[in-house]
């Protein structure tokens, strides 16, 4: 996520001496989600959490974590219909739980990631991406009751302790080691340990959550259905390894294994009765109609190999075989196979400092000063330089666009004609967006429509805009298995612009 250079710069320039430093920053938060942040500013949107059933006790720690979550997940998503739906659902679940005195406050996050997590004090978070994936209120209730179970079972508090220890390990390794590979390895190990710790508690939280949902008269099979949808959604992302902690979805900390799905089904059978089978699909679909889907264009977004930022007014295109990821700290690109990577971010450079001087100012190790060259790229002042590390070689560009300076950092294991061309062509593709392009950069949204005679999964999926694998994504969004067909007068979700 790219911001104006007027924002403070945190950790974006120091020790950029190997590709793992470009693409392997994983910060861990307590509870069930993984959250990371570098240059993301605290959102200006007003916090509009759903009113809790009971008062949630705030502590300095919980307040800091709350602000960090908001900053990392795009702030709150303000939608009165959705807030009313979530509030009503939480009230029913709390009343049915063994601890109706426990307070909860739910915040809907403005993120396309499919995620939910809890803080120890009862603050619950769900992303709009999760709300888009769920097909009815019983599936939403299964997620909320699962997170409530983590709070009731003190799992969230245990994760907070683990996260605190992990942060200490990460800080020590980062401070003591200049070897980015070692640092990345330590971060990866910490993340794996945290995920493993969470998995051990998932079955317990599933069981408690299914029970709470059933006692609140929701369909207890909602959990198994949502776990299946989550697993299929993760399959659609296979091969597109997200590098953004914001984009770490529910499967990262809540793996939708066949064992979990089977256990959720088994538990549901214990509670299944005519009184506990409410799905509330119609009300749910009405509440999510027009919900923003995927990335929010106001923060910049990826379409294929192109990155566009309508708010700041520019675009560029990555090389062929690169996958772009718009993260909280930068736009990251990785070439298929991992032998090349790129990073694009914004930095603060005084107007009186030349871009060549900036490249040689020491923010990056191994810069070859003799390679520094002043350039003009599509009318914008720029400079380039090369740098060398132990295992990676770099081509670095700084480009001044208005009052901002943007960096392109290209890393390759072995410099070649192709790697040089990839870097050059990417930088040369940086240009100002036209007014028409800016006006056309609208967010994708969930639209709820009624199936008409003659409609099929295939014909309806052709109406999907801006998504890959449209037919399979249509099925996943609507809880349809791989052979199911739509029926006339069914209400279904599509993605439209």
């Amino acid at each position: 996520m790219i911001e104006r250079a007027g924002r403070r710069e945190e950790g974006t320039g120091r020790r950029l001496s190997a590709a793992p430093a470009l693409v392997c920053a994983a910060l861990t938060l307590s509870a069930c989600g993984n959250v990371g942040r570098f240059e993301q500013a605290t959102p200006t949107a007003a916090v509009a959490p759903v009113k809790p059933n009971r008062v949630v006790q705030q502590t300095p720690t919980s307040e800091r974590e709350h602000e960090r979550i908001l900053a990392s997940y795009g702030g709150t998503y303000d939608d009165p219909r959705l807030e009313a739906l979530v509030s009503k659902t939480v009230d029913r679940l709390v009343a049915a739980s063994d601890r109706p005195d426990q307070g909860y406050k739910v915040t809907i996050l403005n993120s396309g990631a499919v995620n939910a997590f809890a803080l120890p004090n009862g603050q619950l978070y769900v992303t709009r991406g999760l709300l888009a994936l769920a097909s009815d209120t019983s599936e939403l209730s299964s997620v909320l009751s699962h997170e409530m179970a983590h709070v009731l079972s003190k799992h969230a508090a245990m994760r907070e302790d683990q996260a605190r220890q992990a942060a200490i390990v990460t800080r020590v390794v980062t401070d003591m080691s200049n070897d980015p590979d070692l640092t990345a390895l330590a971060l990866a190990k910490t993340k794996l340990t945290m995920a493993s710790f969470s998995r051990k508690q998932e079955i317990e939280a599933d069981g408690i959550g299914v029970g709470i949902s059933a006692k609140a008269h929701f369909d207890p099979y909602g959990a198994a259905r949502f776990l299946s949808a989550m697993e299929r959604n993760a399959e659609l992302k296979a091969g597109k390894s997200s590098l953004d902690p914001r984009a770490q979805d529910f499967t990262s900390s809540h793996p939708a294994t066949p064992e979990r799905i089977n256990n959720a089904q088994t538990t549901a059978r214990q509670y299944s009765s005519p009184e506990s089978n409410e799905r509330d699909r119609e009300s749910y679909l009405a509440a999510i109609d027009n919900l923003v889907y995927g990335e929010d264009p106001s923060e910049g977004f990826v379409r294929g190999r192109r990155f566009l930022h309508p708010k700041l007014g520019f675009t560029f295109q990555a090389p062929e075989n690169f996958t772009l990821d718009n993260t909280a700290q930068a736009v990251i690109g990785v070439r298929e196979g991992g032998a090349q990577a790129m990073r694009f971010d914004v930095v603060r450079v005084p107007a009186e400092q030349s871009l060549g001087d900036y490249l040689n100012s020491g923010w990056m190790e191994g810069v070859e000063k003799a390679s520094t060259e002043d350039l003009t790229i599509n009318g914008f002042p720029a400079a380039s330089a090369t740098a060398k590390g132990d295992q990676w070689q770099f081509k670095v560009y700084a480009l001044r666009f208005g009052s901002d300076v943007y960096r392109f950092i290209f890393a390759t294991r072995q410099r070649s004609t192709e790697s040089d061309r990839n870097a050059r062509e990417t930088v040369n593709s940086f240009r100002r967006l036209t007014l028409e392009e800016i006006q056309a950069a609208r967010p994708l949204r969930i639209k709820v429509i009624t199936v008409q005679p003659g409609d099929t999964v295939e014909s309806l999926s052709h109406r999907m805009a801006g998504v890959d694998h449209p037919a399979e994504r249509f099925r996943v969004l609507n809880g349809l298995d791989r052979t199911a067909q739509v029926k006339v007068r069914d209400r279904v979700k599509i993605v439209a612009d």
Side-chain angles (χ1 to χ4, degrees):
M1 187 176 296
I2 297 299
E3 300 180 345
R4 291 198 176 276
R7 302 293 186 189
R8 64 177 179 173
E9 181 185 354
E10 297 181 7
T12 54
R14 194 169 67 88
R15 300 297 182 195
L16 290 179
S17 56
L22 294 173
V23 300
C24 207
L27 301 180
T28 313
L29 179 77
S30 62
C32 304
N34 294 320
V35 181
R37 171 177 182 262
F38 274 76
E39 293 183 308
Q40 179 73 9
T42 301
T44 55
V47 178
V50 177
K51 291 183 179 179
N53 191 44
R54 294 287 185 271
V55 175
V56 172
Q57 296 299 319
Q58 297 288 355
T59 66
T61 298
S62 68
E63 290 176 358
R64 284 194 302 270
E65 294 302 295
H66 179 69
E67 291 304 317
R68 187 181 304 169
I69 290 168
L70 291 180
S72 300
Y73 279 78
T76 59
Y77 186 75
D78 187 12
D79 186 318
R81 287 186 305 173
L82 273 178
E83 291 168 7
L85 173 73
V86 175
S87 179
K88 181 180 177 182
T89 305
V90 169
D91 286 346
R92 281 178 58 174
L93 294 172
V94 171
S97 73
D98 293 336
R99 284 282 309 280
D101 59 317
Q102 169 68 52
Y104 296 95
K105 181 169 69 174
V106 186
T107 300
I108 301 173
L109 298 170
N110 185 26
S111 168
V114 178
N115 212 343
F117 36 86
L119 296 183
N121 66 342
Q123 286 181 258
L124 309 181
Y125 301 85
V126 292
T127 59
R128 58 173 168 78
L130 186 146
L131 295 172
L133 180 62
S135 291
D136 54 49
T137 310
S138 72
E139 292 186 15
L140 171 63
S141 78
S142 76
V143 174
L144 294 172
S145 60
H146 177 103
E147 296 305 328
M148 289 167 60
H150 279 307
V151 174
L152 296 172
S153 301
K154 308 297 184 184
H155 294 167
M158 296 178 199
R159 281 296 298 271
E160 187 174 65
D161 290 340
Q162 290 287 320
R164 195 174 296 114
Q165 296 173 26
I168 293 172
V169 171
T170 299
R171 187 164 59 248
V172 170
V173 172
T174 302
D175 290 345
M176 294 184 64
S177 175
N178 289 339
D179 184 342
D181 289 307
L182 179 60
T183 304
L185 179 62
L187 288 168
K189 285 184 175 179
T190 300
K191 186 177 178 182
L192 288 171
T193 300
M194 293 295 292
S196 177
F197 182 81
S198 174
R199 285 191 187 97
K200 296 174 184 177
Q201 301 166 340
E202 294 309 303
I203 298 298
E204 181 183 355
D206 283 342
I208 296 172
V210 169
I212 293 174
S213 287
K215 291 173 185 175
H217 304 305
F218 286 113
D219 178 12
Y221 288 95
R225 289 197 308 276
F226 186 74
L227 285 168
S228 297
M230 199 168 66
E231 185 177 42
R232 292 171 64 193
N233 187 64
E235 289 173 0
L236 287 177
K237 292 174 62 179
K240 299 169 73 175
S241 172
S242 180
L243 308 164
D244 186 4
R246 294 173 308 160
Q248 295 298 317
D249 61 24
F250 206 60
T251 56
S252 302
S253 53
H254 303 68
T257 62
E259 178 190 16
R260 280 192 68 200
I261 296 171
N262 291 336
N263 284 341
Q265 290 173 331
T266 300
T267 306
R269 293 189 192 103
Q270 301 173 19
Y271 293 97
S272 185
S273 69
E275 291 78 29
S276 62
N277 60 5
E278 183 180 333
R279 293 194 182 187
D280 194 26
R281 180 173 168 83
E282 289 303 315
S283 296
Y284 188 81
L285 292 180
I288 67 168
D289 190 23
N290 210 41
L291 175 71
V292 171
Y293 181 84
E295 292 177 289
D296 185 342
S298 67
E299 301 299 333
F301 63 100
V302 172
R303 287 287 183 271
R305 291 188 290 121
R306 182 167 291 282
F307 177 73
L308 305 94
H309 204 310
K311 189 175 179 181
L312 300 183
F314 67 80
T315 182
F316 68 85
Q317 182 167 297
E320 289 185 13
N321 300 317
F322 269 65
T323 298
L324 283 183
D325 206 1
N326 181 22
T327 80
Q329 66 196 66
V331 179
I332 303 294
V334 179
R335 191 181 191 279
E336 195 175 298
Q340 294 180 37
M342 63 166 285
R343 173 187 174 114
F344 173 83
D345 61 14
V346 61
V347 291
R348 180 182 298 168
V349 178
E352 62 274 13
Q353 184 178 22
S354 75
L355 295 179
D357 286 345
Y358 166 72
L359 293 180
N360 290 305
S361 63
W363 61 270
M364 183 177 189
E365 294 182 345
V367 173
E368 300 174 330
K369 294 186 177 182
S371 69
T372 305
E373 182 181 2
D374 291 324
L375 305 166
T376 299
I377 296 173
N378 291 330
F380 306 115
S384 69
T386 59
K388 288 185 179 180
D390 291 339
Q391 299 182 41
W392 294 83
Q393 299 183 56
F394 300 90
K395 185 71 174 180
V396 187
Y397 292 84
L399 182 148
R400 198 180 293 275
F401 180 70
S403 60
D404 298 330
V405 171
Y406 294 97
R407 295 187 304 203
F408 285 91
I409 305 169
F410 299 89
T412 181
R413 289 195 177 275
Q414 184 159 357
R415 188 175 176 183
S416 64
T417 302
E418 182 205 32
S419 66
D420 285 348
R421 183 179 67 250
N422 283 343
R424 186 172 59 253
E425 290 181 353
T426 300
V427 174
N428 286 337
S429 73
F430 183 98
R431 63 173 176 82
R432 194 184 302 275
L433 284 170
T434 66
L435 180 60
E436 291 76 13
E437 288 173 319
I438 293 173
Q439 293 172 339
R442 298 185 300 269
L444 299 176
R445 294 183 181 272
I446 292 288
K447 298 291 185 182
V448 178
I449 61 174
T450 302
V451 176
Q452 302 297 322
D455 284 342
T456 64
V457 168
E458 289 68 29
S459 66
L460 291 171
S461 67
H462 287 154
R463 297 170 61 179
M464 301 268 279
V467 299
D468 57 354
H469 310 293
E472 181 57 23
R473 198 164 293 280
F474 175 85
R475 291 183 180 278
V476 171
L477 283 174
N478 289 286
L480 300 172
D481 64 31
R482 290 171 173 81
T483 59
Q485 291 298 322
V486 294
K487 299 175 183 177
V488 175
R489 291 190 296 278
D490 277 354
R491 297 282 283 168
V492 295
K493 296 178 278 183
I494 64 171
V495 178
D497 57 13

